[in-house]
DNA sequence: GGCTTAATAT
DNA sequence: GATATTAAGC
């Protein structure tokens, strides 16, 4: 059973936000929480995808303010046609807005900036709504075969309820499946420049990963990333 | 327990 | 070769 540290792994989450930066951040954090994430930058597209691929999502997180469709409208549509838990999200925490979210059927309301701690437990909404969560589904891990076709791989359970056949995928999902493999940080000259600046600012003897990272202020860049880069640099300085 | 650094893996 | 991950030491 794919449960680690009491977490159901692989819950399928759709994130809708017109701000690509927010999308990226959310995606990162959700991945860190071991969810499978599909992102969508416009509500109408999200709605289409959700409707076309019912049963391929467990949970939706949607921004409130979006250019093409109000988040509440999306919430309403989902509540009408699909039976998915929806979490609303906004930088605006006015009680009236939050109220509106809840009364329209949202199961939660996240305030931006969203902290990862708040995402860790969102799977509970799925359990709550469905009354159950089919952990067994996770016996099927998703993997790429050599033809870059997504197939469902059955685990030891050669039981009765075998689902057969390949799954058709939207581009968004394909892209996400790729991103499940942890994206490596690429140290562009731009990024490296900031790194060097931080090091100089600290002074060479005080330049440790944590401080460097804090000065750089790059969203998503971890201390480990900086440590690794620092080590690589030191190594070739000695060579 | 968190952090840095060295060693090792991908 | 670059970056990640793990192990060791502080």
């Amino acid at each position: 059973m794919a449960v680690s540290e009491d977490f159901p792994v692989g819950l399928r989450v759709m994130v809708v936000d017109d701000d690509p930066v927010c999308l990226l951040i959310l995606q990162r954090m959700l991945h860190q929480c071991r969810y499978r994430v599909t992102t969508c930058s416009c509500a109408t597209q999200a709605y289409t995808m959700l409707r076309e691929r019912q049963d391929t999502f467990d949970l939706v997180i949607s921004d409130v303010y979006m250019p093409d469709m109000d988040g509440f409208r999306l919430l309403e549509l989902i509540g009408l046609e699909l039976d998915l838990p929806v979490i609303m999200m906004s930088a605006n925490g006015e009680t009236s807005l939050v109220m509106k979210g809840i009364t329209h059927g949202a199961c939660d309301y996240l305030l931006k900036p969203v902290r990862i701690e708040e995402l860790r437990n969102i799977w509970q909404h799925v359990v709550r709504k469905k009354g159950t969560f089919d952990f067994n589904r996770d016996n099927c891990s998703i993997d790429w075969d050599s033809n870059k076709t997504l197939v469902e791989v059955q685990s030891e359970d050669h039981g009765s309820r075998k689902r057969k056949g390949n799954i058709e995928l939207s581009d968004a999902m394909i892209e996400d499946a790729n991103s499940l493999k942890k994206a490596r940080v690429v140290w562009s000259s731009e990024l490296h420049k900031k790194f060097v600046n931080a090091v100089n600012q600290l002074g060479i003897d005080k330049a440790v990963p944590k401080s460097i990272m804090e000065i750089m202020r790059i969203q998503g860049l971890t201390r480990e990333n900086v440590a690794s880069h620092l080590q690589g640099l030191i190594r070739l300085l000695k060579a």
Side-chain angles (χ1 to χ4, degrees):
Chain A
M1 181 178 298
V3 179
S4 116
E5 292 151 18
D6 294 328
F7 270 68
V9 170
L11 199 79
R12 299 156 304 179
V13 182
M14 156 85 77
V15 186
V16 193
D17 196 326
D18 58 300
D19 180 355
V21 177
C22 283
L23 272 185
L24 211 62
I25 294 172
L26 260 292
Q27 190 185 39
R28 273 205 125 90
M29 293 198 293
L30 286 165
H31 273 155
Q32 220 169 314
C33 295
R34 318 274 265 132
Y35 297 116
R36 272 139 74 186
V37 189
T38 303
T39 57
C40 211
S41 57
C42 84
T44 39
Q45 190 193 333
Y47 178 54
T48 306
M49 199 182 310
L50 285 169
R51 204 177 29 187
E52 281 177 0
R53 316 221 172 266
Q54 298 193 30
D55 302 327
T56 59
F57 294 100
D58 299 302
L59 178 69
V60 179
I61 300 179
S62 171
D63 186 27
V64 172
Y65 299 110
M66 287 178 289
D68 62 325
M69 188 197 297
D70 191 80
F72 293 122
R73 172 77 182 137
L74 179 62
L75 172 62
E76 204 174 292
L77 289 173
I78 293 175
L80 230 49
E81 284 192 50
L82 312 155
D83 195 31
L84 286 174
V86 180
I87 295 175
M88 298 305 285
M89 166 179 71
S90 167
N92 188 336
E94 271 177 58
T95 43
S96 64
L97 260 196
V98 181
M99 283 291 290
K100 188 172 175 186
I102 300 301
T103 54
H104 279 62
C107 62
D108 204 348
Y109 197 102
L110 299 179
L111 223 54
K112 286 185 187 176
V114 177
R115 295 169 312 128
I116 192 164
E117 297 82 60
E118 302 176 287
L119 297 175
R120 289 230 160 83
N121 294 321
I122 56 174
W123 60 271
Q124 293 175 358
H125 290 300
V126 179
V127 179
R128 231 171 273 153
K129 179 136 193 155
K130 287 205 295 203
T132 169
F133 180 66
D134 181 16
F135 290 104
N136 279 329
R137 177 167 59 67
D138 291 330
N139 275 340
C140 309
S141 62
I142 290 189
D143 215 346
W144 295 97
D145 69 15
S146 43
N147 294 325
K148 287 277 187 283
T149 314
L150 193 70
V151 296
E152 288 231 309
V153 181
Q154 281 294 105
S155 63
E156 337 327 307
D157 174 19
H158 40 315
S160 42
R161 46 157 198 91
K162 171 172 284 190
R163 260 212 282 155
K164 277 248 73 173
N166 294 0
I167 306 172
E168 215 186 315
L169 288 173
S170 70
D171 289 345
M173 293 176 79
I174 288 171
E175 197 192 313
D176 181 65
N178 283 327
S179 70
L180 266 184
K181 296 161 193 151
K182 55 214 97 177
R184 285 164 61 109
V185 170
V186 34
W187 287 88
S188 61
S189 57
E190 193 58 22
L191 196 56
H192 179 70
K193 207 158 104 188
K194 288 185 177 155
F195 170 85
V196 173
N197 280 339
V199 171
N200 288 333
Q201 192 172 323
L202 284 163
I204 192 67
D205 46 333
K206 278 280 154 198
V208 293
K210 184 170 194 239
S211 320
I212 297 171
M213 176 195 67
E214 279 164 357
I215 291 180
M216 288 179 72
R217 294 177 175 281
I218 304 292
Q219 161 59 235
L221 192 70
T222 68
R223 181 167 47 79
E224 287 84 352
N225 293 138
V226 175
S228 176
H229 188 59
L230 185 60
Q231 293 198 11
L233 211 66
I234 290 170
R235 197 161 42 241
L236 71 96
L237 270 175
K238 288 199 283 204

